[in-house]
Structure formats: structure tokens, C-alpha cells
Amino acid sequence: MFAAAVLFLFACAALAADGIPRKAASCIICHGAGGNSTDPAMPSLAGQPAQFISTQLYLFREGNRKDAQMTPIASGLSNADMNELAAYFSSQKPAAPSRKTAPENAAAGRRLAEQHHCVQCHGPALLGLQHIPRLAGQQFAYLKTQLRGFKAGIRYDTDGNMTSAVQRLSEADIEVLADYLAGLK
Ligand code: HEC
Ligand code: HEC
């Protein structure tokens, strides 16, 4: 009886009636229901590795990664909030990709992903793992902005690996890769 009461209180504190963490209600305004973005410039969070999400929130809060919209949001989150939000969005099912890869970019994109070792870190199916993001089905415009940002040295990169991985990509390569990745399930 006592244990049940404690559990009930705990659940009420962290979760709204529908099982969504209270703090996640504000996130979905930008990142979409269940973290499936419908805005090409806004990243999806659904199915991202939990460690990737919590790490990025931490980087925004500490001022390493900067963004006019995300920085103020992350600055109000505790470590416990970040872990809870990461667990929630990582457990959401990614929606079917909203973009369809152009037929000529499917093979060319895969070739680039292998040639530039994207698959070595992001995984053979580009689903991400641990602190490395899922790229499959990510929004097209967002992917391009990030790749250009790494190349120009303006997207924060914890260990420098991404910045070096993209140095040899041309603008045309970035278009092909983003089109390939955005259409992957
Ligand atoms: C006002 C719009 C807005 C709201 C609300 C918002 N975000 Fe964001 N978020 C963004 C934008 C824009 C970016 C991309 C920033 C960039 O380009 O670096 C982003 C990026 C992120 C990233 C990094 C994703 C990646 O793939 O690198 C995470 C994680 C994230 N947001 C989590 C959250 C969480 C959790 C909440 C709710 C507590 C939230 N966001 C609320 C706009 C928003
Ligand atoms: C040596 C490992 C490594 C290689 C190789 C690599 N990545 Fe990454 N990538 C990472 C890590 C780690 C991050 C997260 C960086 C951070 O935020 O500190 C990342 C982040 C990204 C992001 C940002 C995604 C987001 O949601 O914010 C994109 C896009 C990306 N990589 C695409 C690529 C592509 C395309 C290639 C091949 C050209 C590639 N990566 C090669 C490790 C790697």
C-alpha cells in the first residue's frame, strides 16, 4: 500500500496523464508530436539515441552549442529533466520520412557515406548510437545546415571528428548526402 502510494506520487510528479513528461509539451511545438518534425529546418528527435539527446541539451545549456531558439530552452533544464526528456524522445517511433530521395541520389549518397566513413561512426543503417546521432530520416534542410556548419567550423563539435569528416565534401556532395539521408527509414 505504502509502496503503491509512493509510486503514484512519483508518476504524478514527472508525467502528465498521457505519459508525456510535462516539459516535453513545449518541445513538440517546434520538434513535432512525438519528436517527429514536419518542418524541414527543424530536427526530429524521435528515435535519437538517448545519450545523444541528453548530451546536446547539456551542450546547449553550457553554451558550447549555440542556437537562438534552443539555448534559452536548455538553460532552464536540470540534468534530471534532460535525462527524462532524452528517454522520452528516444523511445518515440520515428515517422516515415517526409522526403523521398531522388533516384539518382540513392546510390550516389550511399557511395559518399561509405567513402567518407559516415557509416563507420553513425552505423551501417545510419541509425546512430550512444552520443552519435541518427541521420536516417532527419529533415533535409536541417542536415544541410549542420553539414555546412561543421565544414565552416561554426557548429560545435565535441571531439572534432565531424569537422574533419566533412572537409572534403563539396557543396554538391552535401546536397546528395542530405537527400539520401533524409529519405532513409
Ligand atoms: C522555439 C523552437 C524550439 C523549441 C520550443 C525547442 N527546440 Fe530544440 N531545437 C530547436 C532548433 C531550431 C534546433 C536546431 C538548432 C541548431 O541548428 O543548431 C533544436 C535542436 C535541438 C536538439 C539537437 C538535435 C540534433 O539533432 O542535433 C535537441 C536534442 C533539442 N532541440 C531538444 C529540445 C527539447 C528536449 C525541447 C523541449 C524542452 C526543445 N528542444 C524545444 C528549436 C526548438
Ligand atoms: C569519427 C566519427 C564520425 C564520422 C566519420 C562522421 N560522423 Fe557525423 N557525427 C559524429 C558525432 C560524434 C556527432 C555529434 C557531434 C557533436 O555534436 O559533438 C556527429 C554529428 C553529425 C551530424 C549532426 C546531426 C544532428 O542531428 O545534429 C550530421 C548531419 C552528421 N554527423 C553527418 C555525418 C556525415 C554525412 C558523415 C560522413 C560524411 C559523418 N557524419 C561522419 C561522428 C562522426
Side-chain angles (χ1 to χ4, degrees):
M1 184 63 202
F2 176 73
V6 169
L7 261 177
F8 178 74
L9 279 176
F10 173 77
C12 287
L15 302 173
D18 49 6
I20 302 174
R22 285 190 201 291
K23 299 235 171 198
S26 63
C27 319
I28 67 181
I29 296 166
C30 292
H31 292 285
N36 278 301
S37 164
T38 52
D39 175 345
M42 197 62 75
S44 284
L45 305 176
Q48 279 290 6
Q51 193 189 335
F52 171 71
I53 297 176
S54 55
T55 304
Q56 295 302 316
L57 289 172
Y58 182 83
L59 293 174
F60 280 122
R61 188 184 70 191
E62 302 306 311
N64 297 305
R65 186 172 172 186
K66 293 183 175 69
D67 179 71
Q69 296 181 90
M70 264 318 288
T71 303
I73 287 163
S75 71
L77 299 175
S78 67
N79 290 354
D81 293 336
M82 291 181 185
N83 289 334
E84 192 193 341
L85 290 162
Y88 171 70
F89 285 113
S90 115
S91 69
Q92 298 303 299
K93 193 173 182 297
S98 47
R99 189 178 176 87
K100 206 171 177 326
T101 304
E104 66 273 22
N105 288 343
R110 183 70 201 178
R111 219 165 22 248
L112 284 169
E114 286 172 3
Q115 189 188 336
H116 294 277
H117 311 296
C118 320
V119 290
Q120 253 106 356
C121 292
H122 291 272
L126 299 144
L127 300 177
L129 68 162
Q130 298 173 347
H131 67 294
I132 305 178
R134 175 189 177 108
L135 304 176
Q138 187 51 281
Q139 288 290 345
F140 178 63
Y142 176 76
L143 285 170
K144 286 199 292 184
T145 309
Q146 299 308 310
L147 291 172
R148 290 180 186 136
F150 284 122
K151 195 171 176 194
I154 52 173
R155 155 83 200 256
Y156 182 77
D157 177 15
T158 312
D159 50 19
N161 280 333
M162 264 314 297
T163 305
S164 48
V166 296
Q167 284 315 309
R168 285 167 52 236
L169 297 181
S170 67
E171 185 53 31
D173 292 339
I174 289 177
E175 283 284 336
V176 172
L177 266 170
D179 189 38
Y180 164 67
L181 295 167
L184 283 180
K185 280 201 188 66

